[in-house]
Amino acid sequence: MAKIKSIDIENFGSYRGFSWNKSVTRKGEPQEFKRLNILYGRNYSGKTTLSRIISCIETKKYPDNYNNPSFSITTESGVISTNNVFSVNENVRVYNKDFIKRNLSFLEDHHNGQIETFAMIGSDNQKLEEQIKVQERNLGNIEERSGLLYERQIKLNNMNKARELEESHNSDIEKKLKNHANNKIKKNRTYGHANYNITKIRADIDKIRKNSIDILSDEEVSNLKSLTKEETLNEIIINSPYQPQSLHFHKKVEDIVSKKINPTAPIQDLLNDSILQAWVKSGITHHKGKRNTCGFCNQELPADIWQKLDKHFNKESDDLDRNITEVSNSLKSEISNLSNILGLTKDQFYSSEKSNFETYYKTYDKSLNLYKKQLHNLLNVLEKRKNDIFSSIQISPLENDGRDLTLIIKKMYELARKNNNKTKTLAQDKAEAIEKLRINDVAAFIQNIDLAKEEQKSSELKKKSESETKDLNEIDNKIEEIKKRIEELRIQQNDERKGAEKVNEYLNHFFGHKGLSLKADEDSKESTFIFKIMRGDNEAYNLSEGECSLISFCYFIAKLEDTKTKGKDLIIYIDDPISSLDSNHIFFVYSLIESVIAKPLKNSDGSNNYKYEQLFISTHNLDFFKYLKRLSHPKRKNSNNGGKSKAISDSQYFIIESGEHSSKISLMPNYLKDYTTEFNYLFHQIFLCRDSINANENHERFYSFGNNLRKFLEAFLFYKYPYQYDKNNSLERLIKFFGEDPTSTTLTNRISNELSHLEEIFDRSMKPIEIPEIPKLANFVLDKIYEKDPDQYNALLKSIGEPERVP
């Protein structure tokens, strides 16, 4: 349990903006709560409110009708504030009005109220206690490195390490995936997009694995990138399929060159020399009917030259020659037209089809050249026959009929149609290309980081973590079983009757109150007990306030030993336990606190063992406060400069006062702590009103001046003049004190009565206090005391920590 050191209260009940370090100081240095803390304050000063702040730790809720509470409690282990007050686990027990309402509502409402039962360990359960100790030994202790709890700590450490390794490895994978998704793919303008993230890269990885997608080649990547940049192309116009004529021409040429003809009167020289014959035939067209001389040698031509030549070059040879010319011209025309039969260019195709086009074109070009060669060969044969018109020729069979050319052209036209179709699907194709590029990027990435190996390691780490978690769960189950067994044994030990007996013990022993008792009656239907307050043999009703106070306080003290509390280091706060009690009972309350809580036990080495971790007691009653000074005050060791330790007090006294705007906690003045009399306190309050400047610091004491002055003068003048000669003269003592100054006597009596009584002068409460009158009267009274008895006056000054007055 961590001790409370200080409390700051921004807003809670009567406290507003209270700062501990500004208020609770000694010589400018903030002071702290100690193990034992005695707090004195008049009614409505803020004592119960302070106890309610501490009670929030115990009850895990705020009191009713407290709006926007704000406070912070500084402890040895940290700060408890309105942000976490309901989540801290501190062993706090508070006795105040709220405790009575929660636990003894019967005292306020006999019809609907009840008394909460509590159980204590029975005295005849030694065997159960031994069984509990056996189970507790099985549980062991972490600090002592024994039992299941220590084994659990080891298992917990192992599990945490395994989880840390697993989480670290998974985090590393996650980081790589995020980095690639965000910095590599998302920022790539070719195939990235703004919404790409780790979720999408994981989906791509699943797709790659599900469909066994391989990494693309550089060429494939290049083609896909080109496709993503494609613009829509015009539709390709496809010509009619080309029909090869090689067979037709081959047949014609074969018929022509193989035909045999003979001249009518052959000229043997021409037959023997085909070149000469061709030269002569050519010359006929230049000479016949045009000239009589030779165009070569200019000699006159023989008269019968044309008859001889006509007999050699007869009509049959002329027809053959003419056929050769016609077929040759057709072949030449066919060859010339071959350059236009395809009608396709590479630029007409999308990049994805260009490579196919180029491949086809190579085949096409080869087939076309072979086809042209074949036609040229036929031309050459015709030319040869033409030059040797009378010699027949046997030509070779046709090697290329043009079918391979037709086939490749058809394939290229199919490619063109496919290209045209691609125009319709270009947007979809580009999207698919983008996806393929992205998928390929991811595929290359997971191969580079060897994701499969990393995930295998993650799987192994997960199995290890799960194994350690399973081991921890198994030992937790064992621990839970033992705890349940201990709880069952504790329940068997619990005895509500012992709780009632303990209350009765305190009532009888400390207060001698045998008329009242607490009885535990068993409810057979519910198998539980109910508490009843008995007066003799009958259930008690209409209890006096004093009886209610006795029972509730004895109940609280007894409850400190219930099964939920006994053995714990407690912070105990007791708020004003002596309301409505006479002086004898006040002493008994003190005795109960001293014997049950405050008085320490002795350890084997002679040192003190305190029954509480920290104790707070607040009161408004000076008689009870006087007794509280006698409590066993705890001590603690403190090392001085010489290195030797000595025991010093571990207790502190505080005063709680109600200011104009807020309650205030401060260290208790020495006169009140040392003398414990209201007489010194009243003198101090009058002394502080001697200067009107003090009204700015604490307006409250000026409002209380009349009441404080009246009470002080009553006590002071009674001891000064214990005998009153005229019982009917209420001013007799005042007159004796002030002497022959009737004006001062009358003024003192008026102010002290008007400011402390409003019964017959109610209109006085509707007017503000006249501050200037108060310092004048305070100084007058103080001066008169000094005048009458300077020794007594200086003694009073010393008792409140003020220097003596010098004549």
Side-chain angles (χ1 to χ4, degrees):
M1 183 67 202
K3 293 187 182 71
I4 296 173
K5 299 170 67 176
S6 62
I7 300 178
D8 292 286
I9 312 170
E10 181 63 29
N11 181 37
F12 199 95
S14 61
Y15 291 87
R16 296 288 186 281
F18 172 71
S19 173
W20 180 275
N21 288 344
K22 292 181 180 178
S23 181
V24 187
T25 61
R26 178 180 288 117
K27 296 181 180 181
E29 292 295 324
Q31 303 297 303
E32 298 177 350
F33 284 125
K34 295 189 177 180
R35 183 187 285 269
L36 172 63
N37 303 278
I38 308 298
L39 302 99
Y40 172 78
R42 294 190 172 187
N43 286 330
Y44 312 112
S45 60
K47 301 187 303 301
T48 299
T49 301
L50 186 63
S51 74
R52 282 173 171 161
I53 293 176
I54 307 300
S55 182
C56 290
I57 304 174
E58 176 186 8
T59 61
K60 309 300 183 190
K61 65 179 182 178
Y62 298 123
D64 295 336
N65 303 318
Y66 275 63
N67 298 323
N68 301 317
S70 178
F71 59 82
S72 61
I73 304 171
T74 302
T75 72
E76 291 177 334
S77 61
V79 176
I80 301 172
S81 69
T82 44
N83 295 325
N84 65 350
V85 65
F86 299 153
S87 61
V88 297
N89 296 314
E90 300 289 4
N91 297 317
V92 173
R93 298 293 182 269
V94 177
Y95 175 80
N96 57 15
K97 295 176 182 178
D98 300 332
F99 172 85
I100 298 173
K101 288 180 181 179
R102 289 196 310 273
N103 296 278
L104 300 106
S105 57
F106 172 83
L107 298 178
E108 296 183 357
D109 185 353
H110 294 333
H111 297 289
N112 300 312
Q114 61 183 5
I115 300 176
E116 299 293 331
T117 61
F118 64 90
M120 301 177 68
I121 296 177
S123 59
D124 55 348
N125 293 314
Q126 186 61 35
K127 291 183 179 180
L128 292 174
E129 187 64 28
E130 290 176 357
Q131 293 180 41
I132 290 173
K133 288 180 179 179
V134 170
Q135 297 298 332
E136 288 177 340
R137 281 195 295 271
N138 291 335
L139 281 180
N141 186 283
I142 295 175
E143 288 75 16
E144 296 176 359
R145 298 187 175 187
S146 64
L148 290 174
L149 290 177
Y150 178 62
E151 186 178 343
R152 181 191 184 279
Q153 186 64 37
I154 295 174
K155 296 292 184 185
L156 178 62
N157 291 339
N158 292 341
M159 183 196 73
N160 288 337
K161 288 179 182 178
R163 285 185 175 180
E164 185 178 345
L165 288 173
E166 180 190 3
E167 290 171 1
S168 175
H169 186 72
N170 290 341
S171 176
D172 185 55
I173 296 175
E174 190 91 350
K175 185 177 179 181
K176 289 178 180 178
L177 293 177
K178 282 184 178 179
N179 181 65
H180 194 79
N182 294 326
N183 299 330
K184 299 297 182 182
I185 295 181
K186 182 185 288 187
K187 295 180 179 179
N188 191 308
R189 295 187 178 183
T190 302
Y191 49 80
H193 57 83
N195 296 325
Y196 199 80
N197 54 28
I198 189 169
T199 302
K200 289 183 171 58
I201 197 174
R202 287 193 181 280
D204 284 346
I205 291 170
D206 290 341
K207 184 175 182 180
I208 291 168
R209 290 172 169 172
K210 183 178 180 181
N211 298 285
S212 302
I213 298 175
D214 294 326
I215 297 175
L216 300 174
S217 66
D218 292 343
E219 183 181 358
E220 289 173 319
V221 170
S222 178
N223 290 337
L224 289 171
K225 286 183 178 179
S226 298
L227 176 57
T228 63
K229 300 174 183 178
E230 292 284 11
E231 299 294 337
T232 303
L233 298 176
N234 294 326
E235 183 179 4
I236 299 174
I237 304 301
I238 301 173
N239 297 328
S240 299
Y242 172 71
Q243 297 298 327
Q245 300 296 316
S246 56
L247 285 174
H248 168 72
F249 282 115
H250 187 273
K251 183 69 172 69
K252 274 191 173 186
V253 171
E254 185 178 30
D255 289 344
I256 291 173
V257 300
S258 62
K259 186 175 182 180
K260 294 181 179 181
I261 59 172
N262 293 307
T264 304
I267 301 171
Q268 191 61 42
D269 290 337
L270 295 181
L271 293 176
N272 294 335
D273 189 345
S274 60
I275 296 175
L276 178 62
Q277 182 176 249
W279 182 79
V280 170
K281 184 175 178 61
S282 174
I284 292 174
T285 60
H286 294 286
H287 293 78
K288 188 176 183 179
K290 296 179 180 179
R291 58 188 300 169
N292 295 319
T293 59
C294 178
F296 178 74
C297 64
N298 205 25
Q299 296 292 322
E300 187 173 345
L301 296 173
D304 60 350
I305 187 67
W306 303 118
Q307 289 80 6
K308 290 181 179 181
L309 289 175
D310 287 339
K311 289 180 180 180
H312 181 82
F313 296 107
N314 55 22
K315 183 177 182 301
E316 189 177 12
S317 67
D318 288 342
D319 289 342
L320 183 60
D321 183 75
R322 188 169 52 256
N323 288 337
I324 291 173
T325 300
E326 288 176 359
V327 174
S328 294
N329 288 336
S330 296
L331 276 170
K332 290 177 181 177
S333 177
E334 178 72 6
I335 291 170
S336 176
N337 291 335
L338 286 176
S339 59
N340 298 319
I341 63 172
L342 182 62
L344 301 176
T345 64
K346 178 177 151 182
D347 294 338
Q348 292 176 293
F349 289 83
Y350 291 108
S351 58
S352 59
E353 306 300 338
K354 283 182 179 179
S355 61
N356 289 332
F357 176 84
E358 289 175 344
T359 301
Y360 286 163
Y361 194 84
K362 290 178 181 179
T363 304
Y364 163 77
D365 189 58
K366 182 178 179 181
S367 297
L368 181 62
N369 289 331
L370 289 174
Y371 184 67
K372 283 182 179 180
K373 183 179 179 181
Q374 190 75 27
L375 294 180
H376 279 293
N377 289 338
L378 293 175
L379 273 175
N380 292 335
V381 171
L382 288 174
E383 187 67 24
K384 183 177 180 182
R385 180 63 189 268
K386 186 178 180 67
N387 292 331
D388 192 1
I389 195 72
F390 297 107
S391 298
S392 62
I393 301 173
Q394 296 295 321
I395 63 174
S396 302
L398 186 66
E399 294 181 0
N400 190 323
D401 59 3
R403 282 183 293 182
D404 56 343
L405 179 61
T406 302
L407 182 62
I408 193 63
I409 290 175
K410 286 182 179 179
K411 287 184 178 179
M412 295 181 79
Y413 283 170
E414 287 298 321
L415 187 65
R417 291 187 185 92
K418 180 180 178 183
N419 197 78
N420 288 341
N421 291 333
K422 191 173 287 292
T423 300
K424 301 175 184 178
T425 63
L426 180 60
Q428 181 179 348
D429 293 342
K430 290 171 74 172
E432 291 175 355
I434 288 171
E435 182 177 6
K436 287 180 180 178
L437 287 170
R438 189 188 71 246
I439 292 293
N440 185 66
D441 185 308
V442 175
F445 164 68
I446 63 177
Q447 186 181 80
N448 290 338
I449 67 170
D450 201 348
L451 183 61
K453 182 178 179 181
E454 295 296 318
E455 289 176 337
Q456 177 63 30
K457 184 176 180 181
S458 290
S459 178
E460 293 171 358
L461 290 173
K462 182 179 181 181
K463 288 180 180 177
K464 177 65 175 176
S465 175
E466 289 175 345
S467 175
E468 296 293 349
T469 302
K470 181 181 178 182
D471 290 347
L472 180 65
N473 290 337
E474 288 177 355
I475 199 168
D476 278 342
N477 291 335
K478 292 179 182 178
I479 291 172
E480 189 61 29
E481 289 176 3
I482 291 177
K483 285 184 176 180
K484 285 182 180 179
R485 179 56 182 158
I486 291 175
E487 184 64 25
E488 290 171 358
L489 294 171
R490 294 266 185 224
I491 290 173
Q492 294 178 42
Q493 284 187 319
N494 291 347
D495 190 344
E496 285 82 354
R497 291 168 297 187
K498 292 295 180 181
E501 289 174 8
K502 181 59 70 172
V503 174
N504 295 333
E505 177 187 332
Y506 293 149
L507 278 171
N508 296 330
H509 180 73
F510 289 95
F511 299 99
H513 208 308
K514 298 182 179 179
L516 290 177
S517 62
L518 193 64
K519 182 181 179 182
D521 273 354
E522 187 172 4
D523 187 340
S524 58
K525 293 182 180 180
E526 300 293 335
S527 298
T528 58
F529 284 87
I530 56 175
F531 278 177
K532 295 180 180 179
I533 298 176
M534 308 297 292
R535 194 187 300 277
D537 296 329
N538 300 316
E539 192 169 354
Y541 296 96
N542 302 317
L543 299 170
S544 69
E545 289 187 26
E547 289 174 328
C548 289
S549 296
L550 287 178
I551 290 173
S552 60
F553 190 66
C554 289
Y555 177 94
F556 173 77
I557 297 298
K559 204 170 188 301
L560 293 178
E561 299 182 56
D562 69 3
T563 54
K564 297 180 180 179
T565 307
K566 187 175 179 62
K568 295 181 179 179
D569 293 330
L570 297 176
I571 288 179
I572 302 172
Y573 196 115
I574 299 174
D575 176 47
D576 239 345
I578 46 77
S579 178
S580 305
L581 297 178
D582 59 31
S583 57
N584 287 335
H585 286 155
I586 290 173
F587 176 77
F588 289 136
V589 168
Y590 151 75
S591 300
L592 183 57
I593 294 173
E594 167 65 14
S595 62
V596 176
I597 300 175
K599 188 175 182 179
L601 302 173
K602 288 294 182 181
N603 295 319
S604 58
D605 60 357
S607 61
N608 289 332
N609 180 16
Y610 295 99
K611 305 171 188 175
Y612 59 90
E613 186 69 17
Q614 198 169 21
L615 176 61
F616 297 83
I617 307 175
S618 63
T619 183
H620 75 285
N621 188 287
L622 285 170
D623 287 336
F624 183 57
F625 174 60
K626 177 179 65 177
Y627 287 125
L628 292 178
K629 288 184 58 181
R630 303 180 188 176
L631 287 175
S632 297
H633 280 43
K635 299 191 180 292
R636 59 186 175 87
K637 291 183 178 181
N638 183 48
S639 298
N640 54 26
N641 294 333
K644 297 180 180 180
S645 62
K646 63 177 182 179
I648 62 173
S649 174
D650 198 6
S651 60
Q652 189 67 277
Y653 289 80
F654 301 89
I655 187 168
I656 301 178
E657 298 174 290
S658 177
E660 184 175 359
H661 302 293
S662 171
S663 294
K664 175 184 176 183
I665 307 170
S666 56
L667 291 180
M668 187 177 290
N670 289 334
Y671 71 85
L672 189 58
K673 181 175 67 173
D674 296 339
Y675 296 99
T676 323
T677 66
E678 190 174 13
F679 184 71
N680 301 77
Y681 172 77
L682 294 171
F683 176 78
H684 191 205
Q685 295 301 305
I686 296 168
F687 183 81
L688 291 174
C689 290
R690 75 193 189 285
D691 191 340
S692 60
I693 296 176
N694 291 334
N696 297 327
E697 180 181 346
N698 194 330
H699 201 69
E700 178 72 15
R701 61 171 57 96
F702 281 80
Y703 272 93
S704 304
F705 177 78
N707 194 47
N708 291 337
L709 178 62
R710 178 180 59 80
K711 292 174 68 177
F712 175 77
L713 289 177
E714 285 177 355
F716 177 75
L717 294 178
F718 177 80
Y719 284 103
K720 185 76 175 176
Y721 309 109
Y723 181 77
Q724 186 172 346
Y725 292 92
D726 185 356
K727 303 294 184 182
N728 296 318
N729 187 0
S730 61
L731 301 179
E732 178 181 323
R733 291 189 174 95
L734 282 174
I735 293 171
K736 286 183 179 180
F737 180 67
F738 289 111
E740 302 300 325
D741 190 353
T743 301
S744 298
T745 302
T746 303
L747 177 63
T748 302
N749 183 61
R750 181 180 70 82
I751 291 179
S752 63
N753 277 280
E754 284 187 10
L755 297 184
S756 61
H757 296 95
L758 299 176
E759 184 177 356
E760 297 179 358
I761 47 174
F762 182 73
D763 63 319
R764 185 69 186 83
S765 65
M766 308 299 291
K767 301 177 182 178
I769 294 292
E770 297 180 11
I771 297 299
E773 292 182 357
I774 294 174
K776 290 179 181 179
L777 183 57
N779 281 299
F780 176 76
V781 172
L782 294 172
D783 290 343
K784 184 58 70 173
I785 295 174
Y786 180 72
E787 176 188 325
K788 292 284 187 177
D789 193 342
D791 290 337
Q792 183 183 23
Y793 181 75
N794 282 327
L796 285 169
L797 286 178
K798 293 289 287 182
S799 74
I800 63 173
E802 296 290 339
E804 294 183 1
R805 182 172 175 176
V806 179

